[in-house]
Amino acid sequence: TGTQSWIVIDHVFSAGIIIPAGSSIKINTGTPEGIGEIINAGALILTTGTVRLTGNWTNYGTFTAGSGTLIFSGTTSAAFVAGASTYNNVQINKTGTDANDNVTLQTDSATISGTLTITDGELIQQAALTTGAVTLSDATSKWTNITNNANVTLSGNVANAGAISFNPATAGLLLIRSSLAGTQRNWQGAGTFTMIGVDVKDQSCIG
């Protein structure tokens, strides 16, 4: 009962972490490994630490990103319920089969102030995303958006070695914008780009 706080450096939480309301976890440094899932209804604070999890990320509480990194890994798909919070860096490295390598951004919008990197697996975007530079670094990496109003706002460029496919259910109801009006964000790379029914402003495709 009452407020509880922990400071975590490195540990293995195979079953997952549940942070109830009124409680908090602070990760100063290191990378807690093997986390099944995280459900945060309290406060989760990163300073320079990294969180690597194989299951769902569900944030109903307060999340402070610091300069830390959130990594989705493992061989099964996961949900990313961001809680309309701001994250520093987010990485997706799901190595399961095609049906089991998804990370689905759902329910709430997310802001990534640093970089979004997909090294393996697929980001399925079902909620609005504001992010810095985006990198799909391998032919196995994918970014898919077929959801109305799951808009994208970029403060950096997109480098694609995989597959990007945007095709909302209703044409014109998926906006791609720059965080700074008049400043173009560049989409380039040897991967595939499929853009159908999107509303695009302040973007370029050079290189």
Side-chain angles (χ1 to χ4, degrees):
T1 59
T3 300
Q4 304 177 54
S5 299
W6 299 270
I7 296 178
V8 178
I9 303 299
D10 285 291
H11 201 71
V12 175
F13 301 90
S14 58
I17 298 174
I18 298 176
I19 308 170
S23 299
S24 64
I25 288 181
K26 183 176 183 180
I27 301 175
N28 284 332
T29 60
T31 304
E33 298 280 357
I35 300 173
E37 68 173 344
I38 291 180
I39 302 173
N40 175 34
L44 176 56
I45 303 164
L46 295 184
T47 52
T48 60
T50 296
V51 172
R52 187 191 306 272
L53 72 163
T54 60
N56 300 330
W57 173 280
T58 306
N59 177 40
Y60 299 128
T62 301
F63 175 69
T64 303
S67 59
T69 299
L70 173 62
I71 302 175
F72 291 91
S73 61
T75 58
T76 58
S77 294
F80 181 15
V81 181
S85 292
T86 298
Y87 299 76
N88 183 43
N89 298 319
V90 175
Q91 298 179 16
I92 297 173
N93 186 25
K94 288 286 189 179
T95 57
T97 60
D98 192 53
N100 294 296
D101 67 351
N102 305 324
V103 174
T104 302
L105 174 63
Q106 62 188 60
T107 309
D108 302 316
S109 63
T111 298
I112 301 171
S113 59
T115 59
L116 168 62
T117 304
I118 307 171
T119 58
D120 196 349
E122 180 176 5
L123 172 63
I124 299 177
Q125 184 187 339
Q126 297 179 349
L129 174 64
T130 299
T131 183
V134 179
T135 300
L136 284 72
S137 61
D138 188 85
T140 61
S141 53
K142 300 176 183 179
W143 180 10
T144 301
N145 187 336
I146 61 171
T147 303
N148 289 350
N149 302 313
N151 301 323
V152 176
T153 303
L154 294 168
S155 59
N157 299 324
V158 177
N160 177 26
I164 296 176
S165 179
F166 287 9
N167 185 6
T170 304
L173 290 186
L174 199 170
L175 309 183
I176 302 177
R177 294 290 187 266
S178 171
S179 60
L180 185 62
T183 299
Q184 292 189 341
R185 308 304 181 186
N186 192 51
W187 299 60
Q188 59 85 32
T192 61
F193 297 84
T194 304
M195 298 289 189
I196 301 172
V198 295
D199 183 326
V200 178
K201 184 178 180 181
D202 292 329
Q203 311 294 310
S204 62
C205 282
I206 302 172

